[in-house]
Amino acid sequence: MQLHGQNIIAGQSQAGAGSTFNGLNPATSAVLEPAYQEASTEQINAAVEAAAAAFDAYRHKSADERAAFLERIADEILALGDELLQRAHAETALPLEARLMGERGRTMGQLKQFAALVREGSWVEARIDLAQPERAPLPKPDIRRMLIPMGPVAVFAASNFPLAFSVAGGDAASALAAGCPVVLKAHPAHPGTSEIVARAIATAAEATGMPAGVFSLVHGTSHEVGSTLVKHPLIKAVGFTGSLRGGRALFDAAAARPEPIPVYAEMGSINPVFILPGALRERSAALAEGMKNSVTQGVGQFCTCPGLAVGLSDESFTNFSDKLNELMADAPTATMLYPAIAKSFSDGVRKLAHLEGVKTTQAKQTAEFGKTHASPTVFTTDAATFNAHHELSEEVFGPATVVVACDDRAQLESIARNLEGHLTATIHGTPEDLKEYVTLVEILATKAGRLIFNGYPTGVEVCPSMQHGGPYPATTDVRTTSVGTAAIARFARPVAYQGFPQAALPVELRNENARGVWRLVDGAMSQANCGE
Amino acid sequence: MQLHGQNIIAGQSQAGAGSTFNGLNPATSAVLEPAYQEASTEQINAAVEAAAAAFDAYRHKSADERAAFLERIADEILALGDELLQRAHAETALPLEARLMGERGRTMGQLKQFAALVREGSWVEARIDLAQPERAPLPKPDIRRMLIPMGPVAVFAASNFPLAFSVAGGDAASALAAGCPVVLKAHPAHPGTSEIVARAIATAAEATGMPAGVFSLVHGTSHEVGSTLVKHPLIKAVGFTGSLRGGRALFDAAAARPEPIPVYAEMGSINPVFILPGALRERSAALAEGMKNSVTQGVGQFCTCPGLAVGLSDESFTNFSDKLNELMADAPTATMLYPAIAKSFSDGVRKLAHLEGVKTTQAKQTAEFGKTHASPTVFTTDAATFNAHHELSEEVFGPATVVVACDDRAQLESIARNLEGHLTATIHGTPEDLKEYVTLVEILATKAGRLIFNGYPTGVEVCPSMQHGGPYPATTDVRTTSVGTAAIARFARPVAYQGFPQAALPVELRNENARGVWRLVDGAMSQANCGE
């Protein structure tokens, strides 16, 4: 495939109008061709208008047709073969077999899970209350309610998952599954990968008879591209995975619109890990090993990387901490996704390393600037120092973590109580620990979207029960998840139909439950037909 | 009951610190005692801190305990007997038997519906994915997800439902049902009614062993009271029913917080009614009668009052329009809720009456200023005039409506397409009309939360399928409803538990489904136990 470096507006390649930029191989500093052209305001508007024009046709495709489209995207991605993986590898330095093949599988798996969800159909949450014409003093009308798609959605791709949270990633898949056309802002760190996947989506759309405007891809490095997209009056919701600053800027722009719209920004967190005394006594070395693996996995470039470990200051916690320091010193330096992210990491590390009362251990291996290297780092401190320096509880995106020793349980719980919002919170302990630390679990439930017992936060399962979200600043919308099938709800809204004849109702709301979806009929769950 | 005119902070009466204000009988202009004292910043903070302190205890009450509290509130309200109704009547001029007794019943009914919902328990949307330790290449962890309460909620009472959308109204009931303590800002138009109901809630809280901070009532007329409440960092969500200006101000304040929080502001709309040719031919006089009744019901002081009727210019539409003009001219003037709302109505009427191309018909009966009267009003115009004056599509809160004659179907559909968001949209037609106007139904589904066929938007059923919401500016959150049991979801957020032992899980997520709630287990809906 000859890459063209253009924006893809409703299936058509279009040269951009603004400045250009190139992908870069972070491991070699080599500039990758072709140059990519930033989308003009006119092109962004054209993409949104095409999405709005496609909305009517797209949302009325049958569930089977929409599912077939999603499945076809997965097939087209697989058919891209090695070319996609090689380009993603060149643009991100992520390992081919150990990571990108798996991430491609996950991307396809997500698309297929959403396809299955749409085919099954119960996600529309149908509710039917039948008429009671004889009710006194007033007759009860017939009311039926279900979720329908919101409208065109803007999705901002993440840098750290060039496939699974990028062009055909979770946000795009869930919006398309809900029935919403997508205008996708590519992440400038992997423009070639983005183009390849976007072309696969365009092919799938054409092959399955979807309106061309169902998907567009726009490139850009400037804030204007994103803000033009979010402020467009025809955009009805926004998905984003990235930094706190970037996500908050989009949230603020969306809230200031004449018509405010929801922004689902997943902005990462430090994913605190609490290690309780019983677990430490049993397995402090294994815990250090597990923590090191989780912190350094993917060069620490996961939203769920654990950036904080808290325990009670005793001999076994010292053993854990010493072992973790040792393992991190021996961990290899590794290439991050792009130069700016590596610079941000080393700036963050330097800031914490200068704090009094903080011991800093870095990998012994030299980090090479030309290879965009990050050096795994552990900061060791006590609770008083941790409480005195807010920056110790802020995310340093990359392979770094802070270890905090507390004097007593009250101090440990007070650290938990003072946490901001996080995607996850982890507890290591014995069943006895868990009984003793009930309060800790209760506190953490108010601070995170997912609680993990005796595991690690990295490795996010894609399934119906996954909650990948959390209180601000982990996300801008604590009510939602960006991973798992529940993510579809972000792009849908309820509509009630009162007094409509059967033929004019959506199929999911008719008396005859032809699709066999689960419905709440007069207050009872059922897959049966209803009414007369 | 001797009214004390004070704020009620966590069950304790406290004199306010700021200015005072009195209730007023709008029908007589009589000042009602006692004077009410605006809550100080310290009192608002104390109320929020008490709510936050109560949150832990309150959310851990069992479903039965929480349900008993809600039911007890309903019982206490009924036990207030005539005193409550008389005070509400004095403060609002709403008819005692024709309206306030019914509204009391609705208020109690809402509390009991939420109690039943909480007792049944499936509202927590439990999802369980069982572990698959043998899965390759990676074992699948055990993950279980459910909704938990968000935290302390600020609720702003509405003026137009002194009981059902006020102190113990739908917003407070749904927040309490979800497990969230409530700080309630009383509407200054009915402070005495608010005090009486708040004292009933405090009694119910004490009688059922709830923490005192579960409910507080603050009074005030200044914007500061509301903005202090919404900006308090311990408040996690806001419910509001009122004007666009008021709701947007709260939304903006909440979005600008360091930690943004959701604001569920229901801000009303004009609830367009489309009258199709077949229906007009069959029953133009009955439609005029129905429209008049809906517009003037409750002196037009419903969020769902239909402020726009659109049809094709033909003889039967002229008959409808003439009949409606005649009926509105004969309709009685009536007392609105308070002087400012009546002034705002007459200002709005005057503005529209001055537009060229608009014929204005007002009730013949003289409106008395001292009785806070509104004069039922109908504006008749054509599509060109309607399209030229945006103010004709803005809500004039009160008994007024705009009738628009269109030249053809395209013009009618273009009016629908140009609508902003509304709570409801209504279509009158024959089944044949509906077949011909499929596009109209599709357009209206993108513009409103509830579509009504051959009915009227006033009269909002409280049931699981009700959707009382809609795109902005009808509300600030199109994903939610403020009426019906689905309203509980506004005050809850999902949390996932990964790898937790049975005993440490919430009861709804354990293998043994002791409460028999509906759960999605490995993708299948079930009320059964799961796992081993």
Side-chain angles (χ1 to χ4, degrees):
Chain A
M1 187 186 294
Q2 178 76 32
L3 297 184
H4 53 48
Q6 301 189 342
N7 301 286
I8 301 175
I9 312 296
Q12 302 298 313
S13 311
Q14 292 192 9
S19 54
T20 64
F21 64 98
N22 284 72
L24 191 82
N25 186 323
T28 63
S29 295
V31 171
L32 300 170
E33 295 301 333
Y36 278 80
Q37 304 178 300
E38 182 153 305
S40 66
T41 300
E42 291 69 31
Q43 285 173 324
I44 297 165
N45 291 345
V48 176
E49 282 155 24
F55 180 46
D56 257 7
Y58 184 56
R59 75 193 181 99
H60 288 113
K61 294 287 179 188
S62 71
D64 280 344
E65 288 171 313
R66 213 186 286 164
F69 172 42
L70 295 171
E71 287 161 347
R72 183 65 178 258
I73 296 173
D75 294 344
E76 294 290 335
I77 287 172
L78 187 63
L80 293 165
D82 209 40
E83 187 172 12
L84 173 65
L85 299 176
Q86 291 294 349
R87 178 75 191 198
H89 177 59
E91 288 183 329
T92 64
L94 293 171
L96 259 180
E97 300 210 352
R99 165 68 187 269
L100 289 171
M101 281 187 67
E103 193 181 323
R104 180 181 61 181
R106 174 174 168 170
T107 307
M108 293 168 54
Q110 290 174 165
L111 287 158
K112 288 178 179 177
Q113 274 197 36
F114 281 113
L117 187 79
V118 168
R119 261 191 228 286
E120 194 278 330
S122 300
W123 76 274
V124 301
E125 292 175 16
R127 294 167 167 227
I128 296 175
D129 289 295
L130 297 168
Q132 295 175 13
E134 313 302 329
R135 190 184 66 174
L138 289 172
K140 184 177 184 181
D142 178 287
I143 309 181
R144 302 171 187 231
R145 178 192 201 254
M146 65 180 281
L147 299 179
I148 66 168
M150 276 187 178
V153 170
V155 172
F156 290 77
S159 68
N160 61 341
F161 279 88
L163 302 174
F165 275 90
S166 199
V167 176
D171 284 345
S174 52
L176 291 173
C180 299
V182 168
V183 179
L184 201 133
K185 161 70 174 61
H187 196 285
H190 50 264
T193 308
S194 301
E195 179 188 331
I196 296 171
V197 175
R199 286 164 71 168
I201 297 176
T203 303
E206 200 179 347
T208 55
M210 297 297 143
V214 74
F215 185 84
S216 291
L217 180 79
V218 294
H219 291 285
T221 55
S222 73
H223 294 316
E224 278 70 35
V225 171
S227 101
T228 302
L229 193 49
V230 167
K231 288 179 185 164
H232 196 295
L234 295 173
I235 289 292
K236 297 302 180 190
V238 177
F240 169 91
T241 304
S243 70
L244 175 56
R245 208 174 57 173
R248 181 70 195 234
L250 294 181
F251 175 85
D252 289 343
R257 287 167 44 124
E259 177 195 0
I261 54 172
V263 172
Y264 307 109
E266 192 272 77
M267 304 177 296
S269 66
I270 62 165
N271 304 294
V273 177
F274 290 81
I275 310 184
L276 301 183
L280 281 167
R281 276 192 302 271
E282 277 179 5
R283 48 189 165 98
S284 65
L287 285 165
E289 178 88 29
M291 189 74 184
K292 184 270 292 176
N293 289 342
S294 190
V295 172
T296 58
Q297 195 184 351
V299 203
Q301 299 169 118
F302 290 124
C303 305
T304 52
C305 176
L308 177 65
V310 185
L312 292 189
S313 177
D314 63 8
E315 196 190 325
S316 45
F317 190 68
T318 305
N319 291 343
F320 161 79
S321 176
D322 289 350
K323 182 73 181 171
L324 180 59
N325 271 266
E326 187 189 316
L327 292 168
M328 292 289 275
D330 290 337
T333 57
T335 298
M336 293 191 82
L337 290 159
Y338 55 100
I341 218 168
K343 180 173 185 313
S344 167
F345 176 71
S346 66
D347 288 352
V349 165
R350 197 167 319 123
K351 202 165 91 175
L352 300 192
H354 282 149
L355 296 176
E356 202 172 324
V358 174
K359 176 187 140 196
T360 305
T361 303
Q362 287 210 282
K364 286 178 248 167
Q365 193 182 334
T366 307
E368 292 183 47
F369 181 72
K371 291 184 175 171
T372 320
H373 269 172
S375 184
T377 307
V378 56
F379 305 99
T380 313
T381 191
D382 56 28
T385 306
F386 180 80
N387 290 332
H389 297 286
H390 189 260
E391 51 270 56
L392 284 164
S393 61
E394 288 170 6
E395 186 178 23
V396 178
F397 193 78
T401 197
V402 177
V403 176
V404 180
C406 298
D407 293 339
D408 52 29
R409 183 173 146 181
Q411 206 173 43
L412 182 141
E413 285 179 1
S414 123
I415 284 185
R417 243 181 258 282
N418 291 332
L419 288 171
E420 295 188 303
H422 296 278
L423 292 170
T424 70
T426 298
I427 294 174
H428 282 279
T430 59
E432 291 67 39
D433 283 333
L434 212 47
K435 270 181 213 146
E436 201 179 330
Y437 283 81
V438 167
T439 308
L440 178 65
V441 181
E442 297 300 345
I443 296 168
L444 293 178
T446 69
K447 302 291 184 178
R450 178 166 56 111
L451 304 183
I452 299 141
F453 185 65
N454 285 344
Y456 295 92
T458 45
V460 180
E461 186 73 24
V462 182
C463 61
S465 62
M466 176 46 64
Q467 174 57 19
H468 188 69
Y472 189 89
T475 75
T476 49
D477 194 329
V478 69
R479 298 162 292 178
T480 60
T481 179
S482 61
V483 177
T485 50
I488 196 171
R490 297 177 298 167
F491 303 112
R493 48 173 279 254
V495 168
Y497 294 81
Q498 179 172 326
F500 273 68
Q502 290 292 309
L505 286 168
V507 62
E508 292 87 351
L509 295 182
R510 294 182 190 164
N511 286 349
E512 186 194 351
N513 188 2
R515 299 193 56 206
V517 299
W518 283 99
R519 314 192 289 191
L520 191 69
V521 179
D522 284 340
M525 288 297 287
S526 158
Q527 289 182 293
N529 297 337
C530 69
E532 277 135 36
Chain B
M1 186 186 295
Q2 178 75 34
L3 297 184
H4 53 49
Q6 300 190 344
N7 301 287
I8 301 176
I9 313 295
Q12 301 299 313
S13 310
Q14 292 191 10
S19 54
T20 63
F21 64 97
N22 284 72
L24 191 81
N25 186 323
T28 63
S29 296
V31 171
L32 301 170
E33 293 304 331
Y36 278 80
Q37 305 178 299
E38 183 153 304
S40 65
T41 300
E42 291 68 33
Q43 286 174 325
I44 297 166
N45 292 344
V48 176
E49 283 155 24
F55 181 46
D56 258 8
Y58 185 56
R59 73 193 180 101
H60 288 114
K61 294 288 178 186
S62 71
D64 279 344
E65 289 171 312
R66 215 186 285 163
F69 172 42
L70 294 171
E71 287 161 348
R72 182 64 178 258
I73 296 173
D75 294 344
E76 293 291 336
I77 287 172
L78 187 62
L80 292 166
D82 210 39
E83 187 171 11
L84 173 65
L85 300 176
Q86 290 294 349
R87 177 76 191 196
H89 176 61
E91 288 183 328
T92 64
L94 293 171
L96 258 181
E97 300 211 352
R99 163 69 186 268
L100 289 170
M101 281 187 66
E103 193 179 324
R104 180 179 63 180
R106 175 174 167 170
T107 307
M108 294 168 54
Q110 289 174 166
L111 287 158
K112 288 178 178 176
Q113 273 197 36
F114 281 114
L117 188 79
V118 167
R119 261 191 227 285
E120 193 278 332
S122 300
W123 76 273
V124 301
E125 292 175 17
R127 292 167 168 228
I128 297 176
D129 288 295
L130 297 167
Q132 296 174 12
E134 313 302 330
R135 190 184 64 174
L138 289 172
K140 183 177 184 178
D142 179 286
I143 309 180
R144 302 172 187 231
R145 177 193 203 253
M146 66 180 280
L147 298 179
I148 66 168
M150 277 187 177
V153 169
V155 171
F156 290 77
S159 68
N160 61 340
F161 279 89
L163 303 173
F165 276 89
S166 197
V167 176
D171 284 344
S174 52
L176 290 173
C180 299
V182 168
V183 179
L184 201 133
K185 161 71 174 63
H187 196 285
H190 50 262
T193 308
S194 302
E195 180 189 330
I196 296 172
V197 175
R199 286 164 71 168
I201 297 177
T203 303
E206 200 179 347
T208 55
M210 298 296 143
V214 73
F215 185 84
S216 290
L217 181 79
V218 294
H219 291 285
T221 55
S222 71
H223 294 317
E224 279 70 36
V225 171
S227 102
T228 302
L229 192 50
V230 167
K231 288 180 184 164
H232 196 294
L234 294 174
I235 289 291
K236 297 302 180 190
V238 177
F240 169 90
T241 304
S243 69
L244 175 56
R245 207 173 60 172
R248 181 69 194 235
L250 294 180
F251 175 86
D252 289 343
R257 287 166 46 124
E259 177 194 1
I261 54 172
V263 172
Y264 308 109
E266 192 271 79
M267 306 178 293
S269 66
I270 62 165
N271 303 295
V273 176
F274 290 81
I275 310 184
L276 302 183
L280 282 167
R281 276 192 301 271
E282 276 180 6
R283 48 189 165 98
S284 65
L287 285 164
E289 178 87 29
M291 189 75 184
K292 185 270 290 177
N293 288 342
S294 189
V295 172
T296 57
Q297 194 184 352
V299 202
Q301 299 169 119
F302 290 125
C303 305
T304 51
C305 176
L308 177 64
V310 185
L312 293 189
S313 177
D314 63 8
E315 195 190 325
S316 46
F317 191 68
T318 304
N319 291 344
F320 161 78
S321 177
D322 289 349
K323 181 74 181 171
L324 180 59
N325 271 266
E326 186 190 316
L327 291 168
M328 293 289 276
D330 289 339
T333 57
T335 297
M336 293 191 82
L337 290 159
Y338 54 100
I341 218 168
K343 178 172 186 317
S344 167
F345 175 71
S346 67
D347 288 351
V349 165
R350 197 165 319 123
K351 202 164 89 176
L352 300 192
H354 283 147
L355 296 175
E356 202 172 325
V358 174
K359 177 188 140 197
T360 306
T361 303
Q362 287 211 284
K364 286 177 250 169
Q365 192 181 335
T366 308
E368 291 183 48
F369 181 74
K371 291 184 175 172
T372 318
H373 270 173
S375 183
T377 307
V378 57
F379 304 99
T380 313
T381 191
D382 55 29
T385 306
F386 180 77
N387 289 333
H389 297 286
H390 188 261
E391 51 269 55
L392 284 165
S393 61
E394 287 169 5
E395 188 178 22
V396 177
F397 193 78
T401 198
V402 177
V403 176
V404 180
C406 298
D407 294 338
D408 52 29
R409 182 173 148 181
Q411 206 174 43
L412 182 142
E413 286 180 0
S414 122
I415 284 183
R417 241 182 259 282
N418 291 332
L419 288 171
E420 296 187 302
H422 296 278
L423 293 170
T424 70
T426 298
I427 294 174
H428 282 279
T430 59
E432 291 67 38
D433 284 333
L434 211 48
K435 272 181 210 147
E436 200 179 330
Y437 283 81
V438 167
T439 309
L440 178 66
V441 181
E442 298 299 347
I443 297 167
L444 294 178
T446 68
K447 302 292 184 177
R450 178 165 55 111
L451 304 183
I452 299 140
F453 184 65
N454 286 345
Y456 295 92
T458 45
V460 180
E461 186 72 26
V462 182
C463 61
S465 63
M466 177 45 64
Q467 174 58 18
H468 189 70
Y472 189 90
T475 76
T476 50
D477 195 328
V478 68
R479 298 162 292 179
T480 60
T481 179
S482 60
V483 176
T485 50
I488 196 172
R490 298 177 297 169
F491 303 112
R493 49 174 278 254
V495 169
Y497 294 82
Q498 180 172 325
F500 273 69
Q502 290 293 310
L505 286 169
V507 62
E508 292 88 350
L509 295 183
R510 294 181 190 164
N511 286 350
E512 187 194 350
N513 188 2
R515 300 193 57 207
V517 299
W518 282 98
R519 314 192 290 191
L520 191 69
V521 180
D522 285 340
M525 288 298 286
S526 159
Q527 288 181 296
N529 297 337
C530 68
E532 277 136 35

